[in-house]
Amino acid sequence: MIPATADNQNKDAFRLFNEGRYQESLALCYRLLETTRDPALEVLAATNLFSLGKTEDAEVYFRDLARKMPESSHVHSYLAKVLEQRGDDGAIAEYAAAVRLDPDNQDALRSYAASLIARKDDRGALPVLKRLYALGKRPDDCRHLTAALTRTGRAEEACALYQSPGAGLTKSREYVGALCAAARYRDAADEAQVLCDETNDPAIHRLYLAALARADAAGAPGAYASFLKEKSDPLIYLDYTLLLQERGEYLRALATVKKLIAIDGRPEYRLIACELSAALGDHANALLAYENLIREALDAPCPPETLRQILRSYRGYIRTQFPPGEARARFLALVPSDTNVVSLIETAQMYREQGDTGEARSWYYRAYRADYLNGGLPYAEFLASQEDDRECEKVLLYILANVRKLTDLSRVAVAVTKKDGSPDRMRRLTGELIRRLEERREMLGSAERECLAAAYLNAAADALSREDYAACMRNCLCGIDVLPAYSRDCSPDDFLVLIHRTKEQMLTDCPVVNAPRTENKVDSRRPVQALCDVMALSEPEQKILTFLATHGRASETDLRRLLGSRRVAGIVNLLIRKAAAQGIMLIEKKGMSAEGEVYEYCGT
């Protein structure tokens, strides 16, 4: 029997992958890589690991490949998929790199757009979705583009996309949603009715009834009642209740919401029943229902936002029914004064509404001590309203220094950049916000980038007021650079106005565009002990790094003997990820041998 040639064996490895036989394909890749360093096989091996769900090993391989093949869109795209599965914020930067390297890579474009939409960054997804639809004209890409346009307030553009000559698109719920958002309710109802007949989907029926409620106000209640006689859909019950409430038909609305609660007794629906009883003047039942609901919401796990809505509604109700002292006593008797941050904030708000700012401040401060983020942001907002800028800045600086998650950093950025007043009120805070957002620049979504641009705008205005023209120009250029497409509150014109004023006031021309800034990354040429310290390595990780730095290369068996443990692969993978997070490459995998995986030290 004639042995298969290397070329045929490579084809076999790819064939096995395409057939979904990932383990067999991976084993063949490992065998072939013992004698050749074919980049295509290395990429296939890494892709097999990802397909097998071995995300830690796949990440190490793809990071290594990204270093060796930085121009490969495929490698960056798959590294992004690995990071996304692990919940790593760095995934978005890798998707962006894949798309920059190959704007026609439809798989990368589609994954990038899906990732942005999952992060609720529709503005960031729009250019990607437009590119995708222009490349392939696929109906699913068009639906995603239509939905994103609608969610970003561009419903007319979404409708025009469907109606453009030659589009040849079938009806879809996204198109119906766009018609509703464009206030074309009659067209939306007609389109949705056709879809209802075709699919019998309750979600489409909900769209149809919502459009009908605006197109035919008189006939809509009958249409809702008729549908609910046949099917008990909770969301349609909810829409019907809200429609009746909007029309002032409180008695029918209350009867409807009680049927809804019988199907699904979630707190949000019971709150509607409380508010309807109050609107009907049935105060005995309303008060009892409110207080029972609050007790149950406090005893059982309840989402913070839902509890906040309930307490705010109750606070507003008792304010209209009792004198201030009695209303306060009722609220304090019912709402605990422990470490529940929602209760503490709502208690503070009650005192604030009654004009007792001293007591309100005390309760806001307790909320801040209970939860530096969720309690600290309302406390800072209160301090700003009292014009206590010094304490407000101090609180926000503390929050900013301690947040770690990108979503939390985004919340703080929004709170900081939406503050009114002159730019110099919180100069240190603006500078710190810019620093924290710039640290994660590649991972920022459109909302965070617009916050960063707004911070640069504030810094530029402050610099101009101090006649620091170079700083003003530099901040304006940085702000324009980071400003996202489809920005909402900040525009390039805002910066151009400042640049124009700066040019008029400058006595001499002072260029501000310098060489690109260097990243503040760890230098791999530093001594091994210094690297261990800066990366906060564990003792086993330090032993492995020192051993490899001394000997240059080692097998998995060598490192097992060194540590007296079989957990070498996992430790090395973690070590490689820690180094990659610092922007350096210390260890490279060199394939398999008879003694297991081979590792080579590549630090200088």
Side-chain angles (χ1 to χ4, degrees):
M1 182 177 178
I2 301 174
T5 64
D7 186 50
N8 287 337
Q9 288 182 317
N10 286 7
K11 289 180 180 178
D12 285 343
F14 281 96
R15 177 181 55 78
L16 290 168
F17 173 81
N18 291 329
E19 292 174 359
R21 297 158 66 180
Y22 306 123
Q23 190 62 59
E24 295 171 63
S25 177
L26 179 63
L28 183 53
C29 286
Y30 279 155
R31 286 202 304 274
L32 294 171
L33 288 170
E34 289 179 8
T35 56
T36 180
R37 304 309 299 177
D38 184 344
L41 280 176
E42 291 183 293
V43 172
L44 180 60
T47 310
N48 275 311
L49 286 168
F50 171 76
S51 301
L52 288 166
K54 299 180 179 180
T55 52
E56 287 192 2
D57 290 336
E59 180 186 348
V60 172
Y61 266 89
F62 277 121
R63 284 196 185 278
D64 184 29
L65 289 167
R67 185 183 66 84
K68 292 190 290 187
M69 294 185 286
E71 302 303 312
S72 171
S73 175
H74 176 89
V75 167
H76 284 287
S77 178
Y78 265 88
L79 176 55
K81 291 178 181 181
V82 172
L83 295 175
E84 190 170 41
Q85 281 200 0
R86 292 183 49 243
D88 191 316
D89 290 332
I92 207 73
E94 293 298 331
Y95 277 131
V99 168
R100 278 196 301 271
L101 289 166
D102 183 1
D104 293 337
N105 181 342
Q106 292 192 40
D107 180 64
L109 286 165
R110 201 162 281 112
S111 297
Y112 185 33
S115 183
L116 289 167
I117 291 170
R119 297 175 63 181
K120 302 187 185 306
D121 187 5
D122 293 300
R123 288 184 290 159
L126 276 180
V128 186
L129 290 168
K130 287 181 177 181
R131 176 77 176 184
L132 260 177
Y133 181 58
L135 287 172
K137 300 291 183 183
R138 283 176 41 169
D140 56 334
D141 291 333
C142 181
R143 288 197 299 272
H144 293 312
L145 175 56
T146 302
L149 286 167
T150 304
R151 289 193 295 265
T152 54
R154 294 165 178 80
E156 288 292 355
E157 187 179 343
C159 294
L161 175 68
Y162 257 79
Q163 295 163 357
S164 59
L169 297 167
T170 58
K171 294 174 172 56
S172 72
R173 60 181 300 176
E174 289 81 9
Y175 180 41
V176 175
L179 289 168
C180 284
R184 294 164 58 178
Y185 300 115
R186 184 71 264 172
D187 291 340
D190 292 342
E191 293 284 333
Q193 189 167 33
V194 174
L195 282 173
C196 287
D197 295 338
E198 291 176 357
T199 65
N200 201 27
D201 182 353
I204 302 295
H205 274 285
R206 190 183 183 203
L207 272 175
Y208 164 69
L209 291 166
L212 188 65
R214 296 291 179 264
D216 181 8
Y224 271 105
S226 176
F227 177 85
L228 290 169
K229 281 181 181 178
E230 298 180 9
K231 294 183 180 179
S232 297
D233 185 274
L235 292 177
I236 294 180
Y237 262 118
L238 175 62
D239 291 344
Y240 185 31
T241 299
L242 296 177
L243 175 64
L244 293 170
Q245 187 178 26
E246 182 183 312
R247 291 162 60 96
E249 299 181 38
Y250 300 130
L251 196 58
R252 287 180 67 190
L254 181 59
T256 304
V257 81
K258 285 181 177 178
K259 292 177 182 177
L260 170 58
I261 292 168
I263 301 170
D264 185 345
R266 65 181 62 191
E268 300 95 312
Y269 302 158
R270 294 174 60 192
L271 176 60
I272 295 172
C274 295
E275 292 170 343
L276 287 168
S277 293
L280 286 165
D282 187 359
H283 298 300
N285 280 329
L287 187 63
L288 181 63
Y290 263 121
E291 295 183 348
N292 285 338
L293 176 58
I294 291 171
R295 290 188 189 97
E296 291 178 27
L298 290 167
D299 289 341
C302 181
E305 186 53 40
T306 301
L307 179 60
R308 185 175 291 110
Q309 290 173 4
I310 293 169
L311 293 180
R312 284 181 182 174
S313 180
Y314 175 66
R315 194 178 66 238
Y317 174 68
I318 60 175
R319 187 172 63 243
T320 63
Q321 298 301 310
F322 302 100
E326 188 177 346
R328 182 170 61 249
R330 276 187 169 274
F331 191 88
L332 294 174
L334 187 62
V335 179
S337 58
D338 56 12
T339 57
N340 184 319
V341 69
V342 174
S343 299
L344 295 172
I345 291 169
E346 293 307 311
T347 304
Q349 187 63 22
M350 178 194 64
Y351 280 109
R352 187 177 181 179
E353 288 172 351
Q354 292 186 352
D356 191 343
T357 56
E359 195 67 27
R361 180 173 182 140
S362 172
W363 283 87
Y364 276 122
Y365 180 72
R366 290 171 68 181
Y368 170 47
R369 293 297 300 269
D371 185 329
Y372 80 91
L373 177 61
N374 295 307
L377 291 178
Y379 181 42
E381 182 274 328
F382 171 78
L383 292 169
S385 73
Q386 302 299 304
E387 298 187 352
D388 189 347
D389 290 347
R390 183 176 178 181
E391 187 65 17
C392 178
E393 183 180 52
K394 181 180 174 182
V395 170
L396 287 171
L397 281 169
Y398 179 81
I399 297 171
L400 202 53
N402 286 278
V403 290
R404 294 292 175 265
K405 294 180 180 178
L406 185 58
T407 50
D408 294 339
L409 180 59
S410 177
R411 287 179 59 194
V412 181
V414 170
V416 171
T417 54
K418 286 195 173 179
K419 293 199 173 300
D420 298 325
S422 58
D424 63 341
R425 282 181 66 185
M426 297 185 185
R427 185 176 297 152
R428 266 201 316 155
L429 181 61
T430 300
E432 184 62 14
L433 177 63
I434 289 173
R435 187 188 71 80
R436 287 300 313 274
L437 289 172
E438 281 288 4
E439 284 178 348
R440 309 183 78 168
R441 170 104 174 239
E442 292 183 340
M443 305 172 192
L444 301 181
S446 297
E448 295 83 23
R449 287 170 59 198
E450 191 158 2
C451 285
L452 179 54
Y456 273 123
L457 185 64
N458 285 338
D462 179 41
L464 181 59
S465 71
R466 293 182 283 108
E467 298 185 356
D468 186 347
Y469 303 123
C472 179
M473 290 285 290
R474 189 179 304 111
N475 284 317
C476 283
L477 294 174
C478 288
I480 291 174
D481 183 44
V482 77
L483 193 66
Y486 308 103
S487 55
R488 290 174 179 162
D489 304 317
C490 199
S491 77
D493 288 344
D494 298 325
F495 296 97
L496 294 176
V497 168
L498 285 179
I499 289 174
H500 182 67
R501 287 169 55 192
T502 302
K503 289 287 188 181
E504 288 180 336
Q505 296 179 33
M506 288 171 66
L507 300 177
T508 62
D509 188 24
C510 181
V512 297
V513 180
N514 301 316
R517 293 176 299 176
T518 56
E519 295 289 339
N520 184 26
K521 293 181 178 177
V522 178
D523 187 354
S524 64
R525 295 171 296 180
R526 293 168 68 175
V528 172
Q529 188 54 51
L531 290 170
C532 292
D533 293 340
V534 79
M535 291 192 295
L537 299 185
S538 64
E539 185 179 346
E541 290 166 349
Q542 291 187 41
K543 284 184 177 180
I544 288 175
L545 188 60
T546 304
F547 185 88
L548 287 171
T550 303
H551 296 87
R553 179 182 283 232
S555 69
E556 193 172 345
T557 302
D558 294 331
L559 297 181
R560 284 179 178 177
R561 292 195 194 100
L562 174 70
L563 299 182
S565 168
R566 298 181 61 84
R567 294 182 58 252
V568 165
I571 295 172
V572 173
N573 286 344
L574 183 58
L575 179 53
I576 292 173
R577 287 205 303 276
K578 285 184 177 180
Q582 298 286 350
I584 58 176
M585 190 73 180
L586 291 176
I587 300 172
E588 185 176 359
K589 292 188 174 185
K590 289 295 183 180
M592 301 294 292
S593 71
E595 296 189 334
E597 194 120 40
V598 176
Y599 308 104
E600 185 174 283
Y601 183 75
C602 54
T604 305

